[in-house]
Each structure stands twice: as C-alpha cells, then as structure tokens.
Amino acid sequence: MKPSLAAPLASTTFPESPLVFICYSRKNAEFVDQLTSDLNRLGVVTWRDVDNIASQRQANLEGWRAAIEDALTRCTEMLVILSPDSVTSQEVEAEWNDFASRKRPIFPILVSECRTPYFLRRYQVWDLRTDYERQVK
C-alpha cells in the first residue's frame, strides 16, 4: 500500500522547511485548488502562482516569470500535475525542466489520461484519477 502523498512531501532532505511548487495548467485549476487545500490542511506548505504572486505581477508577463523563477529557486519539491493540457503547455514544461536541472524531488501527479513526458517517467507517478481520498487525505 502506497503512503499518502503528504508523507514524502513532508520528509525532505533540505535543511529548511519544505516548500512545494505546484506546476500545472490553469485549465486544471479546479483540481489544483482542491489538492492545494488538502495538502495545506495536512501541513504541507505549497507555492503556486495564483496564491503567491501579487495580482500586479500576474498581469505583467515579465513580472510573473520573475516570480516563477524566484519560486523555482526557493522551493524544495515540485508537484507536476499531468493532464492533456499540462503536457502540451510550454510554460509547464519549462518549469519542470528548470526544477529538474536543480536536482530536486519531483512528484508527477496524473489527474487525467495523457502521455507522461519521457523525462518524468523516471519518477514515481502518483495516479490520482482514482482513490484520491486514500492517497491524499
């Protein structure tokens, strides 16, 4: 039986408290809202653009990208939400590629049927299409 997703996120090898970057397509916002809420309730500290970038910077592409780059530097772990929309998003791919280059833990999360990018197949993929409650809560 696989442990809850919150367990590996809480046990980091970094000296500071874990900060989990949520990498996703905005088209998956409803699922990501629920997942972020559930993880926060379990004590996992998350970072995602809509929660952590001021609205003035979100409206400006240069400011948004600077904030993303800063978060990629500060975050200790990443969840990559896998869906047909996210695997075709250049922004999502750029984010997880950057994070992978830093050699930090990545947790791919399958939320709908799609092709898992080749590089992400080397990680344990969490399939949350079924049994979400047991795997997250």
Side-chain angles (χ1 to χ4, degrees), residues 19-65:
L19 179 59
V20 180
F21 187 102
I22 309 289
C23 178
Y24 71 105
S25 165
R26 292 260 177 106
K27 293 178 181 174
N28 301 124
E30 185 177 336
F31 174 86
V32 173
D33 288 345
Q34 182 63 54
L35 179 63
T36 301
S37 175
D38 290 338
L39 290 173
N40 291 164
R41 188 179 44 74
L42 293 168
V44 175
V45 181
T46 57
W47 190 99
R48 67 178 175 152
D49 57 350
V50 296
D51 297 328
N52 297 94
I53 301 177
S55 58
Q56 299 88 343
R57 286 184 90 184
Q58 283 188 29
N60 171 323
L61 184 59
E62 186 176 312
W64 179 83
R65 285 202 170 128

Short mmCIF file of all heavy atoms in Angstrom, two decimals, residues 19-65:
data_model
loop_
_atom_site.label_atom_id
_atom_site.label_comp_id
_atom_site.label_asym_id
_atom_site.label_seq_id
_atom_site.Cartn_x
_atom_site.Cartn_y
_atom_site.Cartn_z
N LEU A 19 9.02 23.50 0.86
CA LEU A 19 8.11 24.40 0.16
C LEU A 19 7.86 23.76 -1.20
O LEU A 19 8.80 23.57 -1.98
CB LEU A 19 8.73 25.79 0.01
CG LEU A 19 7.89 26.85 -0.72
CD1 LEU A 19 6.54 27.07 -0.02
CD2 LEU A 19 8.66 28.16 -0.79
N VAL A 20 6.62 23.39 -1.45
CA VAL A 20 6.27 22.58 -2.62
C VAL A 20 5.69 23.45 -3.73
O VAL A 20 4.63 24.06 -3.56
CB VAL A 20 5.27 21.48 -2.23
CG1 VAL A 20 4.90 20.63 -3.44
CG2 VAL A 20 5.84 20.60 -1.11
N PHE A 21 6.38 23.49 -4.86
CA PHE A 21 5.94 24.23 -6.04
C PHE A 21 4.89 23.40 -6.77
O PHE A 21 5.11 22.23 -7.06
CB PHE A 21 7.14 24.46 -6.97
CG PHE A 21 6.87 25.36 -8.14
CD1 PHE A 21 7.28 26.68 -8.12
CD2 PHE A 21 6.23 24.88 -9.29
CE1 PHE A 21 7.05 27.52 -9.21
CE2 PHE A 21 5.99 25.70 -10.37
CZ PHE A 21 6.40 27.03 -10.33
N ILE A 22 3.74 24.00 -7.05
CA ILE A 22 2.69 23.31 -7.80
C ILE A 22 2.78 23.77 -9.26
O ILE A 22 2.54 24.93 -9.58
CB ILE A 22 1.27 23.64 -7.25
CG1 ILE A 22 1.19 23.44 -5.74
CG2 ILE A 22 0.22 22.83 -8.01
CD1 ILE A 22 1.22 22.02 -5.27
N CYS A 23 3.14 22.85 -10.13
CA CYS A 23 3.32 23.10 -11.56
C CYS A 23 2.10 22.53 -12.28
O CYS A 23 1.87 21.32 -12.23
CB CYS A 23 4.62 22.42 -12.00
SG CYS A 23 5.00 22.57 -13.74
N TYR A 24 1.34 23.37 -12.97
CA TYR A 24 0.05 22.94 -13.52
C TYR A 24 -0.41 23.85 -14.65
O TYR A 24 0.10 24.95 -14.82
CB TYR A 24 -1.00 22.93 -12.41
CG TYR A 24 -1.40 24.33 -11.96
CD1 TYR A 24 -2.62 24.87 -12.34
CD2 TYR A 24 -0.55 25.10 -11.18
CE1 TYR A 24 -2.98 26.15 -11.94
CE2 TYR A 24 -0.90 26.37 -10.78
CZ TYR A 24 -2.11 26.91 -11.16
OH TYR A 24 -2.46 28.18 -10.78
N SER A 25 -1.40 23.38 -15.38
CA SER A 25 -2.09 24.20 -16.36
C SER A 25 -3.29 24.85 -15.66
O SER A 25 -3.98 24.19 -14.89
CB SER A 25 -2.57 23.33 -17.53
OG SER A 25 -3.54 24.02 -18.30
N ARG A 26 -3.54 26.10 -15.96
CA ARG A 26 -4.70 26.78 -15.36
C ARG A 26 -6.01 26.09 -15.73
O ARG A 26 -7.01 26.25 -15.05
CB ARG A 26 -4.75 28.24 -15.79
CG ARG A 26 -3.63 29.09 -15.23
CD ARG A 26 -4.10 29.88 -14.04
NE ARG A 26 -3.02 30.65 -13.47
CZ ARG A 26 -2.88 31.96 -13.60
NH1 ARG A 26 -3.76 32.64 -14.30
NH2 ARG A 26 -1.88 32.57 -13.03
N LYS A 27 -5.99 25.30 -16.79
CA LYS A 27 -7.21 24.57 -17.18
C LYS A 27 -7.54 23.47 -16.17
O LYS A 27 -8.62 22.90 -16.20
CB LYS A 27 -7.06 24.00 -18.59
CG LYS A 27 -7.00 25.11 -19.63
CD LYS A 27 -6.80 24.58 -21.02
CE LYS A 27 -6.73 25.74 -22.00
NZ LYS A 27 -6.40 25.30 -23.35
N ASN A 28 -6.59 23.16 -15.28
CA ASN A 28 -6.80 22.17 -14.22
C ASN A 28 -6.99 22.84 -12.86
O ASN A 28 -6.80 22.22 -11.82
CB ASN A 28 -5.62 21.21 -14.15
CG ASN A 28 -5.38 20.47 -15.44
OD1 ASN A 28 -4.30 20.53 -16.00
ND2 ASN A 28 -6.39 19.78 -15.93
N ALA A 29 -7.39 24.10 -12.88
CA ALA A 29 -7.47 24.89 -11.65
C ALA A 29 -8.39 24.28 -10.59
O ALA A 29 -8.06 24.30 -9.40
CB ALA A 29 -7.92 26.32 -11.97
N GLU A 30 -9.52 23.73 -10.99
CA GLU A 30 -10.45 23.16 -10.01
C GLU A 30 -9.79 22.02 -9.23
O GLU A 30 -9.86 21.97 -8.00
CB GLU A 30 -11.72 22.67 -10.70
CG GLU A 30 -12.77 22.18 -9.72
CD GLU A 30 -14.06 21.76 -10.43
OE1 GLU A 30 -14.34 22.22 -11.54
OE2 GLU A 30 -14.78 20.95 -9.82
N PHE A 31 -9.14 21.11 -9.94
CA PHE A 31 -8.44 20.01 -9.27
C PHE A 31 -7.30 20.55 -8.39
O PHE A 31 -7.13 20.14 -7.24
CB PHE A 31 -7.87 19.01 -10.28
CG PHE A 31 -7.03 17.95 -9.62
CD1 PHE A 31 -7.63 16.81 -9.10
CD2 PHE A 31 -5.66 18.10 -9.47
CE1 PHE A 31 -6.88 15.85 -8.45
CE2 PHE A 31 -4.89 17.14 -8.82
CZ PHE A 31 -5.51 16.01 -8.31
N VAL A 32 -6.53 21.48 -8.92
CA VAL A 32 -5.38 22.02 -8.19
C VAL A 32 -5.83 22.79 -6.95
O VAL A 32 -5.17 22.72 -5.91
CB VAL A 32 -4.50 22.88 -9.12
CG1 VAL A 32 -3.40 23.59 -8.36
CG2 VAL A 32 -3.90 22.02 -10.22
N ASP A 33 -6.95 23.50 -7.04
CA ASP A 33 -7.49 24.19 -5.86
C ASP A 33 -7.76 23.18 -4.74
O ASP A 33 -7.38 23.41 -3.58
CB ASP A 33 -8.80 24.92 -6.19
CG ASP A 33 -8.61 26.15 -7.05
OD1 ASP A 33 -7.47 26.64 -7.18
OD2 ASP A 33 -9.63 26.64 -7.60
N GLN A 34 -8.41 22.07 -5.08
CA GLN A 34 -8.74 21.04 -4.09
C GLN A 34 -7.47 20.40 -3.52
O GLN A 34 -7.33 20.24 -2.31
CB GLN A 34 -9.64 19.96 -4.69
CG GLN A 34 -10.07 18.89 -3.71
CD GLN A 34 -10.92 19.46 -2.59
OE1 GLN A 34 -11.93 20.11 -2.86
NE2 GLN A 34 -10.54 19.22 -1.36
N LEU A 35 -6.54 20.02 -4.39
CA LEU A 35 -5.30 19.39 -3.94
C LEU A 35 -4.50 20.32 -3.04
O LEU A 35 -4.02 19.91 -1.98
CB LEU A 35 -4.45 18.97 -5.15
CG LEU A 35 -3.11 18.32 -4.82
CD1 LEU A 35 -3.29 17.01 -4.06
CD2 LEU A 35 -2.30 18.09 -6.11
N THR A 36 -4.37 21.57 -3.43
CA THR A 36 -3.63 22.55 -2.62
C THR A 36 -4.27 22.70 -1.25
O THR A 36 -3.58 22.70 -0.23
CB THR A 36 -3.55 23.90 -3.35
OG1 THR A 36 -2.92 23.71 -4.61
CG2 THR A 36 -2.78 24.93 -2.55
N SER A 37 -5.58 22.82 -1.22
CA SER A 37 -6.31 22.95 0.05
C SER A 37 -6.08 21.72 0.93
O SER A 37 -5.79 21.86 2.13
CB SER A 37 -7.80 23.14 -0.23
OG SER A 37 -8.53 23.14 0.96
N ASP A 38 -6.18 20.54 0.35
CA ASP A 38 -6.00 19.31 1.13
C ASP A 38 -4.56 19.20 1.66
O ASP A 38 -4.35 18.83 2.82
CB ASP A 38 -6.34 18.08 0.28
CG ASP A 38 -7.83 17.97 0.00
OD1 ASP A 38 -8.63 18.55 0.76
OD2 ASP A 38 -8.19 17.31 -1.00
N LEU A 39 -3.58 19.51 0.82
CA LEU A 39 -2.18 19.44 1.27
C LEU A 39 -1.90 20.46 2.36
O LEU A 39 -1.23 20.16 3.35
CB LEU A 39 -1.23 19.61 0.09
CG LEU A 39 -1.20 18.45 -0.91
CD1 LEU A 39 -0.35 18.82 -2.12
CD2 LEU A 39 -0.70 17.17 -0.26
N ASN A 40 -2.40 21.69 2.19
CA ASN A 40 -2.20 22.71 3.22
C ASN A 40 -2.82 22.29 4.54
O ASN A 40 -2.22 22.48 5.61
CB ASN A 40 -2.79 24.05 2.77
CG ASN A 40 -2.03 24.71 1.63
OD1 ASN A 40 -2.54 25.62 1.00
ND2 ASN A 40 -0.82 24.29 1.35
N ARG A 41 -4.01 21.68 4.47
CA ARG A 41 -4.67 21.20 5.69
C ARG A 41 -3.84 20.14 6.40
O ARG A 41 -3.85 20.02 7.62
CB ARG A 41 -6.05 20.66 5.32
CG ARG A 41 -6.93 20.30 6.50
CD ARG A 41 -8.29 19.77 6.08
NE ARG A 41 -8.27 18.81 4.99
CZ ARG A 41 -7.86 17.54 5.10
NH1 ARG A 41 -7.44 17.08 6.25
NH2 ARG A 41 -7.89 16.72 4.06
N LEU A 42 -3.07 19.36 5.61
CA LEU A 42 -2.21 18.32 6.17
C LEU A 42 -0.85 18.85 6.61
O LEU A 42 0.01 18.09 7.02
CB LEU A 42 -2.03 17.19 5.15
CG LEU A 42 -3.29 16.39 4.84
CD1 LEU A 42 -3.08 15.50 3.63
CD2 LEU A 42 -3.70 15.57 6.05
N GLY A 43 -0.65 20.16 6.49
CA GLY A 43 0.59 20.77 6.94
C GLY A 43 1.66 20.93 5.87
O GLY A 43 2.78 21.34 6.17
N VAL A 44 1.34 20.62 4.61
CA VAL A 44 2.30 20.80 3.52
C VAL A 44 2.20 22.24 3.04
O VAL A 44 1.11 22.73 2.71
CB VAL A 44 2.00 19.82 2.35
CG1 VAL A 44 2.93 20.09 1.17
CG2 VAL A 44 2.12 18.38 2.83
N VAL A 45 3.33 22.94 3.02
CA VAL A 45 3.36 24.33 2.57
C VAL A 45 3.58 24.34 1.06
O VAL A 45 4.55 23.79 0.57
CB VAL A 45 4.47 25.13 3.29
CG1 VAL A 45 4.47 26.59 2.84
CG2 VAL A 45 4.31 25.03 4.80
N THR A 46 2.64 24.95 0.35
CA THR A 46 2.69 24.95 -1.11
C THR A 46 2.93 26.34 -1.66
O THR A 46 2.67 27.35 -0.99
CB THR A 46 1.37 24.40 -1.70
OG1 THR A 46 0.28 25.19 -1.23
CG2 THR A 46 1.16 22.95 -1.31
N TRP A 47 3.41 26.36 -2.90
CA TRP A 47 3.58 27.62 -3.65
C TRP A 47 2.96 27.42 -5.02
O TRP A 47 3.27 26.45 -5.72
CB TRP A 47 5.06 27.97 -3.82
CG TRP A 47 5.27 29.35 -4.37
CD1 TRP A 47 5.57 30.46 -3.66
CD2 TRP A 47 5.15 29.76 -5.75
NE1 TRP A 47 5.65 31.56 -4.50
CE2 TRP A 47 5.39 31.14 -5.80
CE3 TRP A 47 4.85 29.11 -6.94
CZ2 TRP A 47 5.35 31.87 -6.97
CZ3 TRP A 47 4.80 29.84 -8.12
CH2 TRP A 47 5.06 31.21 -8.13
N ARG A 48 2.08 28.33 -5.40
CA ARG A 48 1.56 28.34 -6.77
C ARG A 48 1.26 29.78 -7.15
O ARG A 48 0.99 30.63 -6.30
CB ARG A 48 0.35 27.43 -6.96
CG ARG A 48 -0.87 27.84 -6.25
CD ARG A 48 -2.02 26.89 -6.55
NE ARG A 48 -3.15 27.28 -5.73
CZ ARG A 48 -4.40 27.09 -6.06
NH1 ARG A 48 -4.70 26.51 -7.19
NH2 ARG A 48 -5.37 27.47 -5.26
N ASP A 49 1.30 30.03 -8.43
CA ASP A 49 1.21 31.39 -8.92
C ASP A 49 0.00 32.17 -8.41
O ASP A 49 0.16 33.28 -7.91
CB ASP A 49 1.28 31.42 -10.46
CG ASP A 49 0.20 30.58 -11.14
OD1 ASP A 49 -0.51 29.82 -10.46
OD2 ASP A 49 0.09 30.69 -12.37
N VAL A 50 -1.18 31.60 -8.49
CA VAL A 50 -2.38 32.35 -8.10
C VAL A 50 -2.44 32.68 -6.62
O VAL A 50 -3.12 33.62 -6.23
CB VAL A 50 -3.68 31.63 -8.54
CG1 VAL A 50 -3.77 31.53 -10.05
CG2 VAL A 50 -3.80 30.27 -7.88
N ASP A 51 -1.71 31.94 -5.80
CA ASP A 51 -1.69 32.19 -4.36
C ASP A 51 -0.54 33.09 -3.94
O ASP A 51 -0.63 33.78 -2.93
CB ASP A 51 -1.58 30.88 -3.57
CG ASP A 51 -2.76 29.96 -3.79
OD1 ASP A 51 -3.87 30.47 -4.00
OD2 ASP A 51 -2.56 28.73 -3.75
N ASN A 52 0.56 33.04 -4.67
CA ASN A 52 1.78 33.66 -4.17
C ASN A 52 2.38 34.77 -5.04
O ASN A 52 3.42 35.31 -4.70
CB ASN A 52 2.85 32.58 -3.96
CG ASN A 52 2.42 31.58 -2.91
OD1 ASN A 52 1.85 30.54 -3.23
ND2 ASN A 52 2.64 31.90 -1.65
N ILE A 53 1.73 35.10 -6.13
CA ILE A 53 2.19 36.23 -6.94
C ILE A 53 1.13 37.32 -6.84
O ILE A 53 -0.05 37.08 -7.10
CB ILE A 53 2.40 35.83 -8.42
CG1 ILE A 53 3.43 34.71 -8.55
CG2 ILE A 53 2.85 37.05 -9.23
CD1 ILE A 53 3.63 34.21 -9.98
N ALA A 54 1.57 38.52 -6.47
CA ALA A 54 0.64 39.65 -6.36
C ALA A 54 -0.04 39.89 -7.70
O ALA A 54 0.56 39.68 -8.76
CB ALA A 54 1.40 40.90 -5.92
N SER A 55 -1.28 40.32 -7.66
CA SER A 55 -2.06 40.49 -8.88
C SER A 55 -1.41 41.45 -9.88
O SER A 55 -1.51 41.26 -11.08
CB SER A 55 -3.48 40.95 -8.56
OG SER A 55 -3.45 42.16 -7.84
N GLN A 56 -0.67 42.45 -9.39
CA GLN A 56 0.01 43.38 -10.29
C GLN A 56 1.08 42.65 -11.10
O GLN A 56 1.25 42.90 -12.28
CB GLN A 56 0.70 44.52 -9.52
CG GLN A 56 -0.24 45.39 -8.72
CD GLN A 56 -0.46 44.84 -7.31
OE1 GLN A 56 -0.18 43.68 -7.00
NE2 GLN A 56 -0.99 45.67 -6.43
N ARG A 57 1.80 41.72 -10.47
CA ARG A 57 2.83 40.97 -11.17
C ARG A 57 2.22 39.90 -12.07
O ARG A 57 2.78 39.57 -13.10
CB ARG A 57 3.79 40.32 -10.18
CG ARG A 57 4.73 41.34 -9.54
CD ARG A 57 5.72 40.68 -8.64
NE ARG A 57 6.91 40.33 -9.41
CZ ARG A 57 7.94 39.68 -8.91
NH1 ARG A 57 7.92 39.30 -7.65
NH2 ARG A 57 8.99 39.40 -9.64
N GLN A 58 1.07 39.34 -11.69
CA GLN A 58 0.42 38.33 -12.53
C GLN A 58 -0.02 38.92 -13.86
O GLN A 58 -0.02 38.24 -14.88
CB GLN A 58 -0.80 37.73 -11.81
CG GLN A 58 -0.43 36.74 -10.75
CD GLN A 58 -1.66 36.03 -10.20
OE1 GLN A 58 -2.65 35.86 -10.89
NE2 GLN A 58 -1.58 35.62 -8.95
N ALA A 59 -0.39 40.21 -13.85
CA ALA A 59 -0.87 40.86 -15.07
C ALA A 59 0.28 41.22 -16.01
O ALA A 59 0.06 41.53 -17.16
CB ALA A 59 -1.66 42.12 -14.70
N ASN A 60 1.49 41.16 -15.53
CA ASN A 60 2.67 41.54 -16.31
C ASN A 60 3.50 40.28 -16.54
O ASN A 60 4.01 39.69 -15.59
CB ASN A 60 3.45 42.58 -15.49
CG ASN A 60 4.80 42.91 -16.05
OD1 ASN A 60 5.51 42.06 -16.58
ND2 ASN A 60 5.17 44.17 -15.92
N LEU A 61 3.65 39.85 -17.78
CA LEU A 61 4.35 38.60 -18.09
C LEU A 61 5.78 38.59 -17.56
O LEU A 61 6.23 37.59 -17.01
CB LEU A 61 4.34 38.34 -19.60
CG LEU A 61 4.94 37.01 -20.05
CD1 LEU A 61 4.21 35.83 -19.42
CD2 LEU A 61 4.91 36.91 -21.57
N GLU A 62 6.47 39.69 -17.67
CA GLU A 62 7.85 39.75 -17.18
C GLU A 62 7.89 39.60 -15.66
O GLU A 62 8.72 38.86 -15.11
CB GLU A 62 8.49 41.08 -17.59
CG GLU A 62 9.97 41.17 -17.25
CD GLU A 62 10.58 42.45 -17.77
OE1 GLU A 62 10.36 42.79 -18.95
OE2 GLU A 62 11.27 43.12 -16.97
N GLY A 63 6.98 40.26 -14.95
CA GLY A 63 6.92 40.15 -13.50
C GLY A 63 6.50 38.75 -13.06
O GLY A 63 7.03 38.20 -12.10
N TRP A 64 5.56 38.16 -13.80
CA TRP A 64 5.10 36.80 -13.50
C TRP A 64 6.25 35.82 -13.65
O TRP A 64 6.49 34.99 -12.77
CB TRP A 64 3.93 36.45 -14.42
CG TRP A 64 3.37 35.08 -14.23
CD1 TRP A 64 2.46 34.69 -13.29
CD2 TRP A 64 3.69 33.91 -14.99
NE1 TRP A 64 2.20 33.34 -13.42
CE2 TRP A 64 2.93 32.85 -14.46
CE3 TRP A 64 4.54 33.66 -16.06
CZ2 TRP A 64 3.01 31.56 -14.96
CZ3 TRP A 64 4.61 32.37 -16.57
CH2 TRP A 64 3.85 31.34 -16.02
N ARG A 65 6.99 35.92 -14.74
CA ARG A 65 8.12 35.00 -14.97
C ARG A 65 9.22 35.18 -13.94
O ARG A 65 9.84 34.21 -13.50
CB ARG A 65 8.66 35.16 -16.39
CG ARG A 65 7.73 34.51 -17.40
CD ARG A 65 8.43 34.18 -18.69
NE ARG A 65 7.58 33.36 -19.52
CZ ARG A 65 7.28 33.63 -20.77
NH1 ARG A 65 7.80 34.70 -21.36
NH2 ARG A 65 6.50 32.83 -21.46
#
